[in-house]
């Protein structure tokens, strides 16, 4: 196949698959079988491997098919989503059991389930297809988040043939596994974003996102625990769980049938200890009467069923001594305080440290004093949290702990931006952990992925004075004799390292941009910026307004970019990197015109569109011979307007009598 043919096929397949993704995620009306979709995706994947020069960063092979929805629609629940009564001790459970016995006698069973700590979700299936996902909301009505729900792998979008009814609702809990939580939270703090406090917040924050591609990037799971149908299909809850498992739903295997309250108490005691070995958080046990007609007999209060109750675990809490508060400085200069504790056993592990989050936690919330005795609990986080201080044990005359005023690494006075919780060290040019952190980020797998170079090597190279800036890495070959003499690295590893550095010069611009470590510029944002601005020069010259006009770039990110390039030393560093041959221009995609139908016509795209991003519309126009202009003038042929077009622009276009068309009308011009 010739390069031109390959390029055309790649473009055609990408466009087709993007349309299928849109049909699937947004319209929920796929026009292609999953199998055929996967085959086309694989075909595109192969072509992109063979001709990487034509592979688009936004290709369906690299992006999970998500779309921006504009807002959530409120949906009324067919069956209200009630909550459960809570108990925290055995006595209350025994009383619950007595109430049930009084109402229905002794002949019944309980189902015990884990109480997953996430957010509840109601899924509607029609003719075996997932048609709706709705949050609990206020119990009567919730947010329709179907697009996001579709990104959860364990939720079937379409059921295999089976004996399920034409219409049913199934409810369960959406949650995030602890490992994913740790990984993604680290990614957030690495990018200078605020960490989520626990997996539940992360899961519910994720479900409320408007960008389903971002939702898809954050792996969520869902356990189902309740079936709702017009006609009763099963005699017991247990049977219904077995059945829905057979229909393809993710049902937790830890549930048990218990013949009496003693069995329930055994189950609770077992999980009170064992819960720490699960890969997700649970906050208790749910106890349900198994038989549906007995459930009906017991009925509901206004808020919750009388046939079920939840037993909430007490968080395991221990007392220990605060030895010292230490401070870590990240690559962005943010300072994080950490409590060093006298080692103590908590929930099966020895705890030596606790997070303190920020200065207010120390001086306002906990009012920590030296050698305080503190209560420590383990929540969703792997690192535990200090809950409070045992004031009875405060050492008389102990000094209050004051937050540091100067950087623990370089002694520069710390600063705090208005409205932000974290103090930071502004000495990004001279503060060792920041310098090393930035280089470690640059060489990391997700950025330049430099073979033969790891975090410890950066430490050594920095402390021996070989590298101080990223650009110094590209002059390291000049020092190969000294490196060899140092005796710290073998000849082979030095050569590997230098080879890896040399090869990294071919990494695409978006990786370089991400690697530069600008605050708030994560991987996805870097891709968006490169797609929009194409070159570093365009990006550096962009105004706040031009930056926020790019797809998904908000004011906070735009300001961070402006601040970064306002610093002369950053510009000098970029010039050096350019001179070493790093990529600062988007990979050129030779545009083969899809048509010439827009030749001689010029366009401005303004506002937000439901179906396409602005960059996608721009590509459509350019691929059909049209031109994009940056401001409205009499020469302009059309304004392509979405929602929320600026009123000034609208007025100007109307004054000049320039036709204002929708994205659909634009497509009509090229069909
Ligand atoms: S059954 C009528 N089963 O706990 C209530 N709920 O406080 C039906 N939850 O909103 C709920 N695990 O978000 C049920 N195995 C489980 C659960 C569970 C977690 C959550 C759910 C519900 C809340 C009730």
């Amino acid at each position: 196949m010739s390069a031109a043919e390959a390029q055309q096929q790649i473009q055609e397949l990408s466009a087709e698959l993007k349309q299928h993704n849109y049909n699937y995620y947004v319209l929920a009306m796929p026009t292609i079988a999953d199998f055929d979709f996967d085959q086309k995706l694989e075909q595109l994947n192969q072509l992109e491997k063979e001709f990487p020069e034509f592979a688009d960063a936004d290709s369906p092979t690299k992006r999970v098919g998500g779309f921006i929805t504009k807002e959530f629609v409120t949906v009324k629940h067919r069956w209200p989503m009630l909550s459960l009564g809570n108990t925290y001790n055995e006595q209350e459970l025994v009383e619950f059991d007595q109430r049930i016995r009084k109402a229905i006698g002794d002949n019944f069973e309980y189902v015990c389930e884990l109480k997953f700590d996430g957010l509840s979700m109601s899924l509607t299936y029609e003719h075996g297809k997932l048609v709706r996902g709705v949050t609990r909301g206020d119990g009567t009505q919730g947010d329709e988040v179907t697009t996001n729900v579709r990104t959860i792998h364990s939720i079937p979008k379409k059921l295999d043939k089976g004996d399920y009814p034409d219409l049913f609702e199934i409810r369960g809990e959406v949650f995030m596994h602890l490992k994913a939580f740790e990984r993604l939270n680290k990614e957030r703090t690495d990018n200078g974003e605020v960490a989520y406090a626990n997996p539940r917040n992360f899961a519910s924050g994720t479900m409320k996102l408007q960008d389903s591609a971002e939702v898809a990037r954050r792996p969520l799971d869902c356990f189902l625990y309740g079936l709702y149908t017009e006609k009763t299909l099963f005699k017991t809850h247990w049977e219904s769980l077995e059945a829905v498992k057979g229909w393809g739903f993710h049902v937790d295997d830890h549930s048990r049938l218990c013949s009496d309250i003693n069995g329930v108490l055994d189950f609770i005691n077992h999980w009170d200890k064992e819960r720490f070995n699960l890969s997700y958080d649970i906050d208790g046990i749910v106890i349900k009467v198994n038989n549906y007609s007995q459930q009906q007999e017991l009925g509901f209060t206004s808020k919750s069923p009388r046939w079920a109750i939840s037993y909430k675990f007490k968080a395991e809490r221990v007392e220990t001594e605060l030895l010292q508060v230490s401070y870590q400085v990240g690559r962005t200069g943010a300072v994080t305080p950490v409590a060093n504790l006298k080692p103590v056993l908590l929930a099966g592990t020895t705890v030596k440290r606790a997070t303190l989050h920020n200065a207010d936690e120390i001086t306002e919330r906990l009012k920590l004093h030296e050698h305080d005795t503190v209560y420590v609990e383990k929540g969703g986080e792997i690192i535990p949290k200090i809950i409070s201080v045992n004031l009875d044990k405060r050492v008389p005359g102990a000094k209050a702990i004051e937050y540091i005023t100067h950087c623990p690494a370089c002694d520069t006075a710390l600063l705090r931006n208005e409205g932000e919780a974290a103090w930071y060290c502004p000495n990004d040019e001279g503060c060792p952990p920041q310098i090393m952190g930035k280089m470690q980020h640059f060489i990391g797998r997700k950025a330049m992925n430099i073979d033969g170079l790891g975090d410890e090597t950066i430490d050594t190279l920095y402390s021996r004075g070989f590298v101080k800036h990223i650009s110094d890495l590209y002059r390291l070959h000049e020092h190969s004799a000294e490196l060899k003499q140092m005796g710290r690295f073998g000849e082979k590893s030095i050569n590997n390292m230098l080879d890896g550095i040399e090869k990294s010069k071919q990494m695409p611009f978006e990786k370089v941009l991400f690697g530069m470590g600008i605050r708030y510029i994560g991987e996805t944002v870097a891709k968006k910026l490169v797609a929009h601005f194409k070159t570093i020069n365009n990006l550096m010259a962009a105004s706040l307004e031009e930056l926020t006009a790019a797809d998904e770039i908000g004011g906070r990110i735009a300001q961070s970019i402006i601040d970064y390039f306002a610093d002369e030393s950053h510009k000098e560093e970029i010039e050096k990197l350019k001179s070493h041959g790093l990529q600062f221009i988007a990979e050129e995609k030779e545009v083969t015109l899809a048509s010439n139908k827009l030749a001689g016509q010029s366009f401005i795209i303004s506002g937000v569109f439901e179906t396409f991003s602005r960059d996608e519309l721009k590509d459509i126009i350019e691929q059909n011979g049209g031109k994009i202009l940056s401001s409205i003038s009499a020469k302009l042929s059309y304004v392509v307007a979405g929602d929320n077009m600026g009123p000034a622009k609208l007025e100007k276009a109307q004054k000049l009598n320039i036709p204002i068309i929708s994205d659909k009308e634009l497509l009509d011009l090229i069909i």
Side-chain angles (χ1 to χ4, degrees), residues 82-84 113-116 120 136 173 225 286 288 305:
L82 299 176
S83 64
L84 290 170
E113 295 169 12
L114 303 185
K115 188 171 188 303
F116 314 105
S120 46
R136 188 169 86 166
E173 200 82 353
Y225 47 64
V286 179
K288 301 173 180 172

Side-chain angles (χ1 to χ4, degrees), residues 7 14 127 212 226 250 283 332 341 374 487 645:
Q7 189 184 20
S14 295
H127 305 286
S212 59
H250 198 195
D283 60 343
T332 56
L341 306 169
V374 292
M645 176 178 171

